[in-house]
Amino acid sequence: MTESGLTPTAAADALAEIQARRDQAVTATLVPDWYWPTLGGLMTAFTAAVESRRPWLVAVGSVAYAIGLAAAVARVALLHRAQVRNSLIGVRGATAIVGYVLALVALGLSAGFAAEAAGMSWPATVGAATTAGAMTATGHPMMGYLRRVMTARPLVSGGR
């Protein structure tokens, strides 16, 4: 026993409990898998509505996009409690998120410009659909990477 009356076994058990709670918090705060295809589908439908240049379709598409996006974000924020926790995400996690978003933007723009150069109809929709497919394919692995980054961080604050 130590001076404080805490045995090494009790200390190890307490540390294991803290790690388990942190892992629970990390898992609960990550964006769920359904979010990526939902967001991609909304983006693609909205882009197609705008690119149709039909005022009624632009209006309907805009309202549907706003309602769908608000519902998806609200569900993630309220039910899944997804939020960035600065104490867990760290520089590596933040850098990964920024890089991920920039890569998706670059992919979508490249696909859209390539579709326009090839003379395809609705090139912006092609770009949005390409981005949607990439998000659907890579959203889960991205969340897995962030989970590993967050659970690998030391339990004490102040670390990188």
Side-chain angles (χ1 to χ4, degrees), residues 3-143:
E3 288 181 29
S4 67
L6 187 63
T7 66
T9 302
D13 289 346
L15 184 58
E17 177 66 21
I18 291 168
Q19 289 172 328
R21 298 277 180 164
R22 182 199 48 193
D23 293 350
Q24 257 182 338
V26 166
T27 299
T29 60
L30 292 176
V31 176
D33 291 342
W34 61 261
Y35 182 78
W36 304 107
T38 299
L39 183 60
L42 287 168
M43 286 177 7
T44 303
F46 172 70
T47 305
V50 170
E51 208 164 25
S52 76
R53 293 188 174 96
R54 292 185 176 98
W56 69 270
L57 192 53
V58 172
V60 169
S62 297
V63 170
Y65 178 77
I67 291 170
L69 184 61
V73 170
R75 181 164 182 182
V76 168
L78 297 174
L79 296 180
H80 295 280
R81 300 183 325 242
Q83 56 185 294
V84 174
R85 296 182 187 253
N86 293 337
S87 62
L88 290 176
I89 201 80
V91 174
R92 279 183 47 214
T95 302
I97 292 168
V98 170
Y100 182 70
V101 169
L102 290 175
L104 289 172
V105 169
L107 176 66
L109 288 173
S110 298
F113 286 131
E116 184 175 44
M120 295 177 71
S121 301
W122 300 27
T125 302
V126 171
T130 301
T131 302
M135 286 171 36
T136 298
T138 62
H140 179 75
M142 177 63 174
M143 292 299 99

